[in-house]
Amino acid sequence: MAELPIAELPPARCSGRFTISTLLGTEEGGHGPYAPTESSGCDSAQPTQLSGSTLCTRTFGYNTVDVVPAYEHYANSKGVGDTRKGRPSLADLHSILKPDPGHLCAPVSDPQRSNGLTEAGPEETSAEPGTDPVLEPVRFGWVKGVMIRCMLNIWGVILYLRLPWITAQAGIALTWLIILMSVTVTTITGLSISAISTNGKVKSGGTYFLISRSLGPELGGSIGLIFAFANAVAVAMHTVGFAETVRDLLQEHNSLIVDPTNDIRIIGVVTVTVLLGISLAGMEWEAKAQILFFLVILVSFINYLVGTVIPATAEKQAKGFFSYRADIFAQNFVPNWRGPEGSFFSLFSIFFPSATGILAGANISGDLKDPAVAIPKGTLMAIFWTTMSYLVLSATIGACVVRDASGSLNDSVALGSPGCEGLACTFGWNFTACAQRQSCRYGLSNYYQSMSMVSGFGPLITAGIFGATLSSALACLVSAPKVFQCLCRDQLYPLIGFFGKGYGRNSEPIRGYMLTYVIAVGFILIAELNAIAPIISNFFLCSYALINFSCFHASITNSPGWRPSFRYYSKWAALFGAAVSVVIMFLLTWWAALIAFGIVIFLLGYVLYKKPDVNWGSSMQASSYNMALNYSVGLSEVDEHIKNYRPQCLVLTGPPNFRPALVDFVGTFTKNLSLMLCGNVLIAPRKQKMPDSRLTADSHTKWLMKRKIKAFYTDVVAENLRSGVQMLIQAAGLGKMRPNILVLGYKRNWRTASPQSLEDYVGILHDAFDFKYGVCLMRMKEGLNVSQVLQAHMDPTTLACEQQASTIFQSEQGKKTIDIYWLFDDGGLTLLIPYLMGRKKRWGKCKIRVFVGGQINRMDEERKVIVSLLSKFRLGFHEVHILPDINQKPQPEHIKRFDDLIAPFRLNDGFKDEAIVNEMRQGCPWKISDEEIDKNRVKSLRQVRLNEILLDYSRDAALIAITPPVGRKGCPSSLYMAWLETLSQDLRPPVMLIRGNQENVLTFYCQ
């Protein structure tokens, strides 16, 4: 295994530490059970040699190494066990203090640090004297940064051009239902965003950051990429909406620039260029532009409300506007479906995009003063106020305007005129003719510009449309680069890192802005947005679904790290919101939903394949732990059965990279089948300072993962190898997932090693049998330990990066043979392991041969018996060989070689009685008495003869599996090792000496 170097504690980096006598003893006199002694050096006047991770501080009135809670101790924390800045390590508090009179530490008294609860992080400290002050980045509060931004992104052209038409189709009641259904989804999503954003410090990256840090890089990366792309295309969509409105105004005045289509392209490119300039000017200018757009929309909305109470002129009455009338409200309260889009879900799919846009504030999370406060408050307030505006608009316009109107002043009639049908007749207007022919140009059902007609001053509504489209385009133009920048910095996908660079005090993604601009201009020039619009809407809905699922998943895993300060959420409501978002995707456009899912799955698969080296503490990790825990506990309730027997191996690899062949051998038959546990015994004195075993274990685990070995790694510290292995044998595993086979390499240097190490090695085999373990020894001609090549002092952190050694178990074996020498019935383990190896692709072409001992005059009968038994086991072993000459006397030169092998270990006692032999063997139990040699002579010669047979039959095999002899307790360790050496020497193929625990691992029964 490995011996730990005895190292001294590091020298002091701080000139003196304060005493911990007040921590380990009593404050007054230090007379408690942990009071310091003279040699402990626990004196506040004497500095100590401790690690340099702490600072000399004064803590609430007296000097101590320990520190009070402080913000900087937890800032930028990543993994469990990381040493925090300014906090003493456990060794600082727990180890014996060594006085260092040569250095004194002046106590630092800082009343501002005495409570330790500062709010400023390390990144917020002031600049040093003499250096240029760093400009503070622009940060926004919840109103300017989130609420206004979200309201502008939610409001759009649908508010002005489609909501009156939806009210005419569905009626006020169902329109309110459509609005409330849409808002329910967005509100649930808003609550989920609020919960996620208050569960820790939120950085830049918006939606991508929230999803990826919650669900992990796989789903987060895929949704981040398509969300950034969707925002970039949305810039083109909103800009084209603005350009179409301008084009229509130019057409009304016969002032087209070129033609209707190219005018949209020209106006769109100019507009998006101006918006890019505003974005590049900085977030402060962008925020000012958004406030301007917000004021324009508010003025247009007030203008509309004022227009509803102004008495209607004849021109407006001809177009269907009659101010507030109860009977108009009553008629418009119920639906009146018309045309191919005249259905509830069709109107719902038209309206729903106008309720989205709630992520605009979260997308600039890096530019908010306090995202944990701003995102929940601003998002929910934006949802509330926009919902109220939608409800008020549908109710007011439904109470003022009839569904059909001709717009002709000649259609005015006297009240009660015959032949007049419809509600307008009661107000002196006859729209019967156009209503019956469905040719009316005005009215809620026919005229999209009803809001402009109702308003006090029509151009202000047009200005509101401009503000809504431009503000949404600007918000998307800012959101896309911000999200994409965070994704690029995480390096989940190739070739995008170039766009992660930030500029200026706000780390503006200028390269991302330019990329978004190019994408937006490209789609504006294509001018075919009707086909791509449904896919973009589904991309946004994918984001909503995953945000809700993130909240649900984080809640359901019961992770202690899920502690959102925002409490007004429900995990079941979040799950409902996720499901409804998916349903709405298919209601909007089923083919676009399939395309969106296909893209997400493709990107998800790529990240799963690449396995990026990131650790964000996602809920997926928590879920994996929960599942493993539940299954492990559930497995304890399952009774064991021979049919479900699995070879679960404790492999004594030491550091796994030292014995790669042993790792590969066991990994071959345990992969995706059973437990493999690599054990390492660190040999060190009990009082020596322990190494950072977590760092070492992580490095070895990463090495195993890189080698694609599905195994665990564990180590123990013990004073000798045998006691360490005893710990592993007894404590390794969990519940029913406990090892039942001990696998170790053959000790090649047993003749030259220290006698005690020889005793320990054989003693380990005895211990394994005592604990009902099977034993498997692997011997290879070239040996197993490659530590001399790798250098044992290699830094553990570099293990995963080192060159992987190639072994025979990683290569194709071709049409060789796996030879099983099933000489003794051990329960079937000698058969099972080669069978499992033969199922693997690299060993699948090998022919498996079974050799058993027998008598020469009964070879056929014994062969039939073994073939019949093997067929009942269903192993597929058909080639069986009987060894009738197994008990023949071996060659004299081979016998002499065995005698020479044990000669250095003989006691040469001359067959004296037992008491004298024990006295002669005092202190050297590995010595072999003459009586033991004589008593075991037949067994020794059998090993010599078996080696001759192995050389005759299996010289060219790919693998040899043989049942070794079991050394009884009391058998000298040197004699037992001589048997194993003789049995397996001079063989080119790997030799597996395997012995079960005499319990069945194979059965031919089905119950």
Side-chain angles (χ1 to χ4, degrees), residues 3-21:
E3 291 191 10
L4 296 178
I6 301 176
E8 294 295 330
L9 291 171
R13 297 182 184 178
C14 173
S15 58
R17 300 284 184 188
F18 296 113
T19 179
I20 60 168
S21 60

Side-chain angles (χ1 to χ4, degrees), residues 816-831:
K816 297 181 181 179
T817 62
I818 298 176
D819 291 349
I820 305 172
Y821 288 83
W822 195 25
L823 304 178
F824 308 102
D825 190 355
D826 61 345
L829 188 62
T830 308
L831 297 174

Side-chain angles (χ1 to χ4, degrees), residues 875-920:
L875 296 172
F877 300 166
H878 304 294
E879 187 171 342
V880 177
H881 298 267
I882 305 298
L883 303 174
D885 52 353
I886 196 170
N887 290 320
Q888 288 183 3
K889 189 174 181 179
Q891 299 293 327
E893 61 270 20
H894 295 156
I895 297 175
K896 183 179 183 303
R897 184 170 62 175
F898 176 78
D899 292 337
D900 294 341
L901 187 64
I902 63 174
F905 300 95
R906 294 189 62 168
L907 197 58
N908 296 317
D909 57 292
F911 293 96
K912 292 183 173 61
D913 59 39
E914 185 176 354
I916 296 175
V917 169
N918 290 337
E919 185 177 349
M920 293 177 65

Side-chain angles (χ1 to χ4, degrees), residues 931-941 971-972 975 979:
E931 182 180 357
E932 288 168 333
I933 292 176
D934 185 65
K935 184 172 61 175
N936 293 290
R937 189 63 178 176
V938 175
K939 196 170 187 178
S940 300
L941 293 179
C971 176
L975 179 59
W979 289 344

